[in-house]
Amino acid sequence: MLRAGRMGLGTFGILLLLIHASATCEFGPFPYSITGIVCRMTKPAALLLNQETARVIQAAFRNAKFPNITGERSMRFLGKVAYGLSNIQVNDLSIEKSEVELKENDAIHITIKNVTAIFKGTLTYGYAGAWFLQLFHSVDFEIESSIDLQINIKLMCQKDQVAADASDCYLSFHKLTLQLQGDKEPGWLKQLFTDFISFTLKLVLKSEVCNEINFLAQVLANFVHDLAANFVQDEDIRLDISLASVPLIKANYLESHHKGLVRYKNYSDVFSDSVFSPSLLAESRMLYFWLSEHILNSLASAAFLDKRLGLTITGEKLKALFEMEDTEAQRKAVQTIFQGTSYNDSVAKVWSLAHPQISVQPEGTVVKSFVGVEISIFPPGEESLTVLYMEKEITVTIQAAYAEKKLILHPLDSRTEFKVFKCTADPSGNDLSIRNFLQTMISVVGIPEVISRIEPALTSLMNSKGLHLFEIRNPEIITRKGYVIVQLDFSFPNHLLLDFLEKRL
């Protein structure tokens, strides 16, 4: 068994980079207090991702830059025999199996069994005889090999990002056989090169292959970090996913802790009262995410500052809102507000007047908003007229789910309180029937209409980050006082890794 120097990570970089580690980073005395996001990946997920190890090991062998190997030996009667191996390439590589084991508070152990490959190249040799006779020959060769790899990966942190220390890398050679093409050369020559070149090639393989694995580890580390950072960023709004504390390596799961602070232009988030504890997450599902209520609040504030919390309703959508029922009160409200103007010549604008307040409770996510509503009409041949202006405080409880690659938001109950109410046709505000109708309309169809706009927008945003590429099974979004837990099982999209390797290597 040969031990390599600085060895690599392999496909497990995909797994490891979801886990941000710390060996050199410094954290405060109470690191969980600044934790806004937690990712827990359990043993079944590690086993699933380990199936991709073969792809990275194959890439490591395929992309390893094998140097030309040269040397010489003294032979009785023949003088010095010099040789060189050049144009070394790998063909017909296969891997029997790969295993992963999580060693608590230690490392991630990956065992790759029976890596078989054929190395091809050109053997050039020459010798100077006792009578100054010089002969030089060149012949193609093949080397059949069978190797086991053992990689022990420790986690560390560099610049608040993950890094992997995989310096414990071992290669065990079960077979390394030299075949000269045609076998026409003298038997002593084949025996000489089989013995000596095999030993030299072992040293080269352990260095070049493991160095390539290490290179791929860092490439994968950067890839996964960039993928995560991109997923939690949209234009000027982003989440700081730098480490908040040392990760946990347990026998049944890996867990990373991230700050999750919202960054938006000059807006800088502060957070120091997280309620996270490892005991809040279970181990029965493949993947868990824990999100602090503070993150949702800060994201809502950033969206408000970025002027994203507004919408315009016209035409058929406006008609559907105001004709939800055919009653005398409805007809009176429509006539009073729109003054006979068609819906196609009218527009309703809804926008947030202040930062929404979000509170996560067991029954759902409670959103409290201070909202402005303005309805204007555009009678043909006349100037536009604002016929209704309202400011109201709306509180709604929402339950979220994810199914068929779509985000689903379901409003459970809502409360509306008017703060300002101005209607052109009722300047005194004494006609309570209009206000009562509008309050009912807002609760029954207004809030669902707003939510129906938010659902596809958020789904589209997540899919633009690649979420739709994963087969997510039985996802659950669970709310508790002060935090949200997302738990799920998943299948890894094989083509994602293949596409990545083809682009980067």
Side-chain angles (χ1 to χ4, degrees):
M1 179 173 289
L2 297 175
R3 179 172 179 172
R6 296 177 58 188
M7 301 306 175
L9 171 61
T11 296
F12 223 64
I14 297 173
L15 171 60
L16 298 179
L17 266 295
L18 293 174
I19 310 301
H20 280 39
S22 173
T24 60
C25 302
E26 296 182 1
F27 302 107
F30 306 104
Y32 285 164
S33 65
I34 59 170
T35 296
I37 303 175
V38 178
C39 172
R40 173 176 290 187
M41 183 173 288
T42 61
K43 185 68 176 289
L47 294 174
L48 173 67
L49 292 177
N50 184 59
Q51 295 175 9
E52 299 301 308
T53 299
R55 300 179 188 274
V56 171
I57 296 302
Q58 287 172 342
F61 274 85
R62 188 170 57 250
N63 291 282
K65 305 300 181 183
F66 298 103
N68 294 338
I69 301 174
T70 60
E72 64 178 23
R73 297 195 69 179
S74 297
M75 298 291 294
R76 184 179 299 179
F77 305 118
L78 292 177
K80 291 183 178 180
V81 177
Y83 67 89
L85 297 179
S86 58
N87 303 320
I88 302 175
Q89 298 178 349
V90 181
N91 297 87
D92 302 326
L93 188 143
S94 65
I95 295 176
E96 182 176 297
K97 66 178 179 178
S98 177
E99 300 173 347
V100 61
E101 182 180 5
L102 306 181
K103 291 291 187 179
E104 187 159 342
N105 299 322
D106 180 23
I108 302 164
H109 293 195
I110 301 175
T111 303
I112 299 137
K113 297 289 185 66
N114 196 19
V115 180
T116 61
I118 295 178
F119 296 87
K120 294 184 178 182
T122 302
L123 168 63
T124 302
Y125 64 94
Y127 47 89
W131 298 278
F132 304 101
L133 176 65
Q134 294 185 353
L135 298 174
F136 296 95
H137 300 275
S138 183
V139 62
D140 292 336
F141 71 87
E142 290 186 359
I143 298 176
E144 298 179 7
S145 66
S146 177
I147 307 168
D148 287 349
L149 281 82
Q150 176 68 49
I151 308 171
N152 304 318
I153 305 156
K154 294 183 181 294
L155 303 178
M156 61 183 186
C157 175
Q158 293 178 353
K159 297 180 180 180
D160 292 328
Q161 294 183 199
V162 70
D165 176 11
S167 55
D168 276 348
C169 178
Y170 302 88
L171 281 74
S172 299
F173 293 86
H174 302 300
K175 179 181 180 181
L176 202 64
T177 305
L178 174 68
Q179 297 289 338
L180 301 179
Q181 292 300 306
D183 280 336
K184 296 179 181 179
E185 304 305 321
W188 63 265
L189 180 66
K190 182 176 179 180
Q191 183 64 43
L192 166 67
F193 290 133
T194 296
D195 293 343
F196 191 69
I197 294 178
S198 293
F199 173 79
T200 306
L201 189 61
K202 288 179 182 180
L203 298 178
V204 172
L205 284 178
K206 76 164 188 178
S207 174
E208 299 303 323
V209 171
C210 286
N211 283 341
E212 184 64 25
I213 291 175
N214 187 49
F215 168 75
L216 289 177
Q218 300 310 316
V219 172
L220 285 168
N222 294 332
F223 168 70
V224 176
H225 178 270
D226 293 344
L227 190 68
N230 179 64
F231 189 83
V232 293
Q233 177 174 358
D234 183 49
E235 297 181 0
D236 292 330
I237 301 174
R238 67 180 180 87
L239 290 179
D240 176 4
I241 59 171
S242 58
L243 290 174
S245 65
V246 178
L248 298 177
I249 302 179
K250 298 293 185 180
N252 295 321
Y253 65 84
L254 302 167
E255 184 172 284
S256 61
H257 316 95
H258 311 267
K259 295 177 181 178
L261 298 176
V262 174
R263 305 299 188 200
Y264 171 73
K265 294 183 177 178
N266 295 328
Y267 175 82
S268 184
D269 199 11
V270 178
F271 182 47
S272 61
D273 56 355
S274 175
V275 299
F276 175 74
S277 168
S279 62
L280 297 177
L281 299 178
E283 302 176 19
S284 58
R285 306 298 298 274
M286 294 175 70
L287 191 61
Y288 293 84
F289 292 100
W290 183 95
L291 303 173
S292 169
E293 170 187 282
H294 178 85
I295 287 180
L296 303 181
N297 252 319
S298 297
L299 285 173
S301 295
F304 170 77
L305 293 173
D306 204 40
K307 302 185 185 305
R308 299 191 185 195
L309 304 182
L311 82 114
T312 300
I313 305 173
T314 60
E316 292 299 317
K317 288 288 187 180
L318 190 59
K319 179 180 179 181
L321 290 177
F322 279 88
E323 296 190 2
M324 62 173 186
E325 59 182 10
D326 185 16
T327 63
E328 181 64 28
Q330 178 266 339
R331 289 191 292 271
K332 178 182 178 182
V334 169
Q335 179 60 38
T336 302
I337 295 171
F338 292 95
Q339 303 175 22
T341 304
S342 71
Y343 294 112
N344 289 331
D345 294 323
S346 306
V347 60
K349 296 181 179 179
V350 183
W351 69 97
S352 183
L353 296 168
H355 297 228
Q357 300 297 315
I358 296 179
S359 173
V360 181
Q361 302 294 332
E363 58 269 21
T365 301
V366 181
V367 182
K368 186 176 182 180
S369 304
F370 188 38
V371 177
V373 178
E374 181 182 271
I375 297 179
S376 300
I377 59 175
F378 302 83
E382 301 181 27
E383 294 184 358
S384 62
L385 176 66
T386 299
V387 294
L388 182 69
Y389 177 78
M390 300 181 290
E391 293 180 2
K392 55 189 183 296
E393 187 177 87
I394 299 176
T395 303
V396 58
T397 301
I398 301 172
Q399 287 187 343
Y402 187 83
E404 299 179 351
K405 299 185 182 297
K406 295 180 181 179
L407 179 67
I408 301 169
L409 302 176
H410 178 62
L412 295 182
D413 61 76
S414 62
R415 299 185 303 276
T416 302
E417 180 180 353
F418 287 97
K419 300 296 185 180
V420 175
F421 187 88
K422 297 178 181 180
C423 181
T424 302
D426 180 30
S428 65
N430 294 327
D431 191 348
L432 296 180
S433 63
I434 297 177
R435 188 177 302 196
N436 292 336
F437 166 76
L438 289 172
Q439 183 146 343
T440 301
M441 184 267 286
I442 291 168
S443 299
V444 176
V445 294
I447 293 174
E449 170 63 21
V450 172
I451 290 177
S452 72
R453 302 285 188 97
I454 296 175
E455 285 176 335
L458 291 178
T459 297
S460 177
L461 176 60
M462 292 187 294
N463 287 341
S464 72
K465 306 298 185 179
L467 185 62
H468 64 292
L469 298 175
F470 293 82
E471 291 299 325
I472 297 176
R473 300 193 302 272
N474 305 320
E476 296 180 83
I477 302 175
I478 303 169
T479 56
R480 296 289 185 262
K481 184 174 177 58
Y483 60 91
V484 178
I485 295 175
V486 180
Q487 55 189 37
L488 55 94
D489 299 321
F490 68 95
S491 297
F492 186 77
N494 294 339
H495 63 86
L496 184 64
L497 179 59
L498 289 176
D499 292 346
F500 162 73
L501 291 174
E502 289 176 359
K503 291 178 181 178
R504 298 297 180 94
L505 300 177

